[in-house]
Amino acid sequence: MQEQIKNINNLDELQALYTATFGKNGTMTVRLKEMKNLDNDARAALNRENQTLRELFKVRQTEIENAVLMAGLEKQKLDVSLNPMPENRGTLHPLTQSLTEIASILESFGYTMHTGPEIEDDWHNFTALNTPAHHPARDMQDTFFLPNGNVLRTQTSAIQIRAMESDGVPIKMFGIGSTYRKEMDATHSPMFHQIEGLYIDKNITMSDLIADIRAFLSRFFGIDNVELRIRPSYFPFTDPSIEVDLKWRGSKWLEIMGAGMVHPNVLRNCGIDPNVYQGFAFGFGWDRLAMLKYNLPDIRQFYDSDVRWLKNSGF
Ligand code: PHE
């Protein structure tokens, strides 16, 4: 009997044998009914046999059920050689990607990131930056004016004023954000982005400025030692002021950023004594830097929200 149970391979047969054994007129049922005629030893032996058989049926049932389940799973096997569904992955916008790189470089130099409002008051965008009303330098930037006299921020320099007002000196920060000017062609968009560094402490000099610019551009463009050309320039909020050109791919000079030593009037406007503290500021077009690095010809593509462009540009 025990061998018979072990050799059964399907549930129907097992059920049939179970009924034949334990059913109403099953062999074991009949024997159990006759138990009263047996002596004590024979009764005990019958009880054990009864127990053992029931156990065996249970174990065999589980074994057969598991085998059926495994056979089913075997048939459902995943075919890993099938072509995958086309993947539609999102990517980070090139401006976001470049910000991550720019921020990590500047932060490694000890600059901390700041932002500010895009609708700015006259004080932070112009006056505090040594550009009072009627100053001719206001015409350098075609400003969007709001009816209440506020402006759409024309330069991230406004952020350095806010940072100096709130944090005081010494300070080493960079501001990032959107800026607005009335201009539009392949290299100009009415909304663009700037990044601007500021470092004020005791004994900061022009060579500190040039060293940081050189180290920053080398790291960002992955060039061992960038070739720079420093030209005198004019900004109302720096004196002396310079413009920095970068030798691009061994041939062309590209104008890449404006910079200079922060004008004493700017420091005074922020409650800082220029006889004790001095320092530098530099500012550049964030979009322009990204265009150069990723070889993108037209600034307007940054703002078109065209996913095909993002894909084809390899982002
Ligand atoms: N704010 C200047 C611009 O928009 C750039 C600049 C920043 C120049 C800081 C000098 C120092 O053209």
PDB file of all heavy atoms in Angstrom, residues 256-275:
ATOM      1  N   ILE A 256      34.104  85.663 -23.390  1.00  0.00           N
ATOM      2  CA  ILE A 256      33.440  84.674 -22.562  1.00  0.00           C
ATOM      3  C   ILE A 256      32.885  85.220 -21.258  1.00  0.00           C
ATOM      4  O   ILE A 256      31.881  84.732 -20.750  1.00  0.00           O
ATOM      5  CB  ILE A 256      34.397  83.475 -22.316  1.00  0.00           C
ATOM      6  CG1 ILE A 256      33.627  82.202 -22.030  1.00  0.00           C
ATOM      7  CG2 ILE A 256      35.358  83.718 -21.214  1.00  0.00           C
ATOM      8  CD1 ILE A 256      33.681  81.256 -23.164  1.00  0.00           C
ATOM      9  N   MET A 257      33.508  86.261 -20.694  1.00  0.00           N
ATOM     10  CA  MET A 257      32.907  86.836 -19.489  1.00  0.00           C
ATOM     11  C   MET A 257      33.395  88.231 -19.167  1.00  0.00           C
ATOM     12  O   MET A 257      34.432  88.682 -19.647  1.00  0.00           O
ATOM     13  CB  MET A 257      33.074  85.923 -18.275  1.00  0.00           C
ATOM     14  CG  MET A 257      34.464  85.609 -17.823  1.00  0.00           C
ATOM     15  SD  MET A 257      34.387  84.707 -16.238  1.00  0.00           S
ATOM     16  CE  MET A 257      34.159  83.032 -16.788  1.00  0.00           C
ATOM     17  N   GLY A 258      32.580  88.915 -18.363  1.00  0.00           N
ATOM     18  CA  GLY A 258      32.948  90.222 -17.850  1.00  0.00           C
ATOM     19  C   GLY A 258      33.333  90.053 -16.393  1.00  0.00           C
ATOM     20  O   GLY A 258      32.828  89.179 -15.704  1.00  0.00           O
ATOM     21  N   ALA A 259      34.239  90.928 -15.925  1.00  0.00           N
ATOM     22  CA  ALA A 259      34.678  90.782 -14.536  1.00  0.00           C
ATOM     23  C   ALA A 259      35.379  92.058 -14.097  1.00  0.00           C
ATOM     24  O   ALA A 259      35.532  93.009 -14.870  1.00  0.00           O
ATOM     25  CB  ALA A 259      35.626  89.592 -14.411  1.00  0.00           C
ATOM     26  N   GLY A 260      35.807  92.067 -12.856  1.00  0.00           N
ATOM     27  CA  GLY A 260      36.568  93.213 -12.360  1.00  0.00           C
ATOM     28  C   GLY A 260      36.587  93.249 -10.848  1.00  0.00           C
ATOM     29  O   GLY A 260      35.993  92.407 -10.180  1.00  0.00           O
ATOM     30  N   MET A 261      37.324  94.274 -10.320  1.00  0.00           N
ATOM     31  CA  MET A 261      37.344  94.476  -8.874  1.00  0.00           C
ATOM     32  C   MET A 261      36.101  95.278  -8.499  1.00  0.00           C
ATOM     33  O   MET A 261      35.810  96.308  -9.130  1.00  0.00           O
ATOM     34  CB  MET A 261      38.611  95.241  -8.465  1.00  0.00           C
ATOM     35  CG  MET A 261      39.915  94.524  -8.829  1.00  0.00           C
ATOM     36  SD  MET A 261      40.021  92.835  -8.154  1.00  0.00           S
ATOM     37  CE  MET A 261      40.198  93.172  -6.392  1.00  0.00           C
ATOM     38  N   VAL A 262      35.382  94.825  -7.505  1.00  0.00           N
ATOM     39  CA  VAL A 262      34.112  95.463  -7.141  1.00  0.00           C
ATOM     40  C   VAL A 262      34.350  96.939  -6.789  1.00  0.00           C
ATOM     41  O   VAL A 262      35.250  97.271  -6.000  1.00  0.00           O
ATOM     42  CB  VAL A 262      33.450  94.719  -5.961  1.00  0.00           C
ATOM     43  CG1 VAL A 262      32.189  95.455  -5.506  1.00  0.00           C
ATOM     44  CG2 VAL A 262      33.109  93.291  -6.374  1.00  0.00           C
ATOM     45  N   HIS A 263      33.559  97.827  -7.398  1.00  0.00           N
ATOM     46  CA  HIS A 263      33.708  99.272  -7.217  1.00  0.00           C
ATOM     47  C   HIS A 263      33.433  99.660  -5.754  1.00  0.00           C
ATOM     48  O   HIS A 263      32.481  99.153  -5.156  1.00  0.00           O
ATOM     49  CB  HIS A 263      32.711  99.991  -8.137  1.00  0.00           C
ATOM     50  CG  HIS A 263      33.034 101.437  -8.335  1.00  0.00           C
ATOM     51  ND1 HIS A 263      32.864 102.369  -7.338  1.00  0.00           N
ATOM     52  CD2 HIS A 263      33.516 102.112  -9.410  1.00  0.00           C
ATOM     53  CE1 HIS A 263      33.231 103.558  -7.789  1.00  0.00           C
ATOM     54  NE2 HIS A 263      33.631 103.425  -9.047  1.00  0.00           N
ATOM     55  N   PRO A 264      34.284 100.552  -5.190  1.00  0.00           N
ATOM     56  CA  PRO A 264      34.080 100.953  -3.784  1.00  0.00           C
ATOM     57  C   PRO A 264      32.654 101.452  -3.505  1.00  0.00           C
ATOM     58  O   PRO A 264      32.115 101.213  -2.413  1.00  0.00           O
ATOM     59  CB  PRO A 264      35.100 102.078  -3.576  1.00  0.00           C
ATOM     60  CG  PRO A 264      36.128 101.889  -4.642  1.00  0.00           C
ATOM     61  CD  PRO A 264      35.474 101.166  -5.782  1.00  0.00           C
ATOM     62  N   ASN A 265      32.047 102.114  -4.478  1.00  0.00           N
ATOM     63  CA  ASN A 265      30.664 102.600  -4.261  1.00  0.00           C
ATOM     64  C   ASN A 265      29.692 101.450  -4.032  1.00  0.00           C
ATOM     65  O   ASN A 265      28.738 101.570  -3.265  1.00  0.00           O
ATOM     66  CB  ASN A 265      30.181 103.415  -5.475  1.00  0.00           C
ATOM     67  CG  ASN A 265      30.850 104.772  -5.535  1.00  0.00           C
ATOM     68  OD1 ASN A 265      31.483 105.184  -4.555  1.00  0.00           O
ATOM     69  ND2 ASN A 265      30.722 105.447  -6.678  1.00  0.00           N
ATOM     70  N   VAL A 266      29.904 100.336  -4.725  1.00  0.00           N
ATOM     71  CA  VAL A 266      29.026  99.171  -4.564  1.00  0.00           C
ATOM     72  C   VAL A 266      29.158  98.629  -3.141  1.00  0.00           C
ATOM     73  O   VAL A 266      28.167  98.347  -2.468  1.00  0.00           O
ATOM     74  CB  VAL A 266      29.358  98.077  -5.606  1.00  0.00           C
ATOM     75  CG1 VAL A 266      28.533  96.820  -5.361  1.00  0.00           C
ATOM     76  CG2 VAL A 266      29.154  98.599  -7.024  1.00  0.00           C
ATOM     77  N   LEU A 267      30.409  98.535  -2.669  1.00  0.00           N
ATOM     78  CA  LEU A 267      30.628  98.031  -1.308  1.00  0.00           C
ATOM     79  C   LEU A 267      29.972  98.975  -0.302  1.00  0.00           C
ATOM     80  O   LEU A 267      29.250  98.539   0.602  1.00  0.00           O
ATOM     81  CB  LEU A 267      32.130  97.913  -1.029  1.00  0.00           C
ATOM     82  CG  LEU A 267      32.875  96.884  -1.897  1.00  0.00           C
ATOM     83  CD1 LEU A 267      34.376  96.952  -1.654  1.00  0.00           C
ATOM     84  CD2 LEU A 267      32.369  95.475  -1.596  1.00  0.00           C
ATOM     85  N   ARG A 268      30.162 100.278  -0.488  1.00  0.00           N
ATOM     86  CA  ARG A 268      29.558 101.271   0.421  1.00  0.00           C
ATOM     87  C   ARG A 268      28.039 101.140   0.407  1.00  0.00           C
ATOM     88  O   ARG A 268      27.396 101.190   1.459  1.00  0.00           O
ATOM     89  CB  ARG A 268      29.961 102.684  -0.009  1.00  0.00           C
ATOM     90  CG  ARG A 268      31.135 103.214   0.800  1.00  0.00           C
ATOM     91  CD  ARG A 268      31.484 104.645   0.408  1.00  0.00           C
ATOM     92  NE  ARG A 268      32.918 104.717   0.174  1.00  0.00           N
ATOM     93  CZ  ARG A 268      33.482 104.966  -0.998  1.00  0.00           C
ATOM     94  NH1 ARG A 268      32.736 105.196  -2.071  1.00  0.00           N
ATOM     95  NH2 ARG A 268      34.786 104.985  -1.106  1.00  0.00           N
ATOM     96  N   ASN A 269      27.467 100.953  -0.792  1.00  0.00           N
ATOM     97  CA  ASN A 269      26.004 100.808  -0.898  1.00  0.00           C
ATOM     98  C   ASN A 269      25.493  99.610  -0.113  1.00  0.00           C
ATOM     99  O   ASN A 269      24.318  99.550   0.249  1.00  0.00           O
ATOM    100  CB  ASN A 269      25.585 100.660  -2.362  1.00  0.00           C
ATOM    101  CG  ASN A 269      25.691 101.968  -3.115  1.00  0.00           C
ATOM    102  OD1 ASN A 269      25.678 103.040  -2.491  1.00  0.00           O
ATOM    103  ND2 ASN A 269      25.811 101.902  -4.441  1.00  0.00           N
ATOM    104  N   CYS A 270      26.373  98.641   0.142  1.00  0.00           N
ATOM    105  CA  CYS A 270      25.957  97.460   0.897  1.00  0.00           C
ATOM    106  C   CYS A 270      26.466  97.520   2.337  1.00  0.00           C
ATOM    107  O   CYS A 270      26.482  96.505   3.046  1.00  0.00           O
ATOM    108  CB  CYS A 270      26.476  96.197   0.219  1.00  0.00           C
ATOM    109  SG  CYS A 270      25.826  95.973  -1.443  1.00  0.00           S
ATOM    110  N   GLY A 271      26.903  98.691   2.750  1.00  0.00           N
ATOM    111  CA  GLY A 271      27.328  98.875   4.142  1.00  0.00           C
ATOM    112  C   GLY A 271      28.697  98.275   4.440  1.00  0.00           C
ATOM    113  O   GLY A 271      28.992  97.924   5.582  1.00  0.00           O
ATOM    114  N   ILE A 272      29.541  98.137   3.421  1.00  0.00           N
ATOM    115  CA  ILE A 272      30.861  97.521   3.618  1.00  0.00           C
ATOM    116  C   ILE A 272      31.929  98.606   3.436  1.00  0.00           C
ATOM    117  O   ILE A 272      31.847  99.420   2.506  1.00  0.00           O
ATOM    118  CB  ILE A 272      31.076  96.388   2.585  1.00  0.00           C
ATOM    119  CG1 ILE A 272      30.030  95.284   2.811  1.00  0.00           C
ATOM    120  CG2 ILE A 272      32.482  95.810   2.674  1.00  0.00           C
ATOM    121  CD1 ILE A 272      29.832  94.370   1.625  1.00  0.00           C
ATOM    122  N   ASP A 273      32.925  98.623   4.311  1.00  0.00           N
ATOM    123  CA  ASP A 273      33.979  99.634   4.237  1.00  0.00           C
ATOM    124  C   ASP A 273      35.029  99.220   3.200  1.00  0.00           C
ATOM    125  O   ASP A 273      35.782  98.259   3.422  1.00  0.00           O
ATOM    126  CB  ASP A 273      34.626  99.789   5.628  1.00  0.00           C
ATOM    127  CG  ASP A 273      35.707 100.870   5.625  1.00  0.00           C
ATOM    128  OD1 ASP A 273      36.044 101.389   4.523  1.00  0.00           O
ATOM    129  OD2 ASP A 273      36.208 101.186   6.728  1.00  0.00           O
ATOM    130  N   PRO A 274      35.111  99.950   2.067  1.00  0.00           N
ATOM    131  CA  PRO A 274      36.040  99.553   0.992  1.00  0.00           C
ATOM    132  C   PRO A 274      37.504  99.731   1.379  1.00  0.00           C
ATOM    133  O   PRO A 274      38.388  99.235   0.674  1.00  0.00           O
ATOM    134  CB  PRO A 274      35.659 100.472  -0.176  1.00  0.00           C
ATOM    135  CG  PRO A 274      34.906 101.592   0.419  1.00  0.00           C
ATOM    136  CD  PRO A 274      34.327 101.145   1.727  1.00  0.00           C
ATOM    137  N   ASN A 275      37.768 100.432   2.495  1.00  0.00           N
ATOM    138  CA  ASN A 275      39.158 100.560   2.927  1.00  0.00           C
ATOM    139  C   ASN A 275      39.627  99.310   3.674  1.00  0.00           C
ATOM    140  O   ASN A 275      40.820  99.122   3.888  1.00  0.00           O
ATOM    141  CB  ASN A 275      39.336 101.796   3.820  1.00  0.00           C
ATOM    142  CG  ASN A 275      39.128 103.066   3.010  1.00  0.00           C
ATOM    143  OD1 ASN A 275      39.602 103.166   1.874  1.00  0.00           O
ATOM    144  ND2 ASN A 275      38.375 104.002   3.574  1.00  0.00           N
TER     145      ASN A 275
END
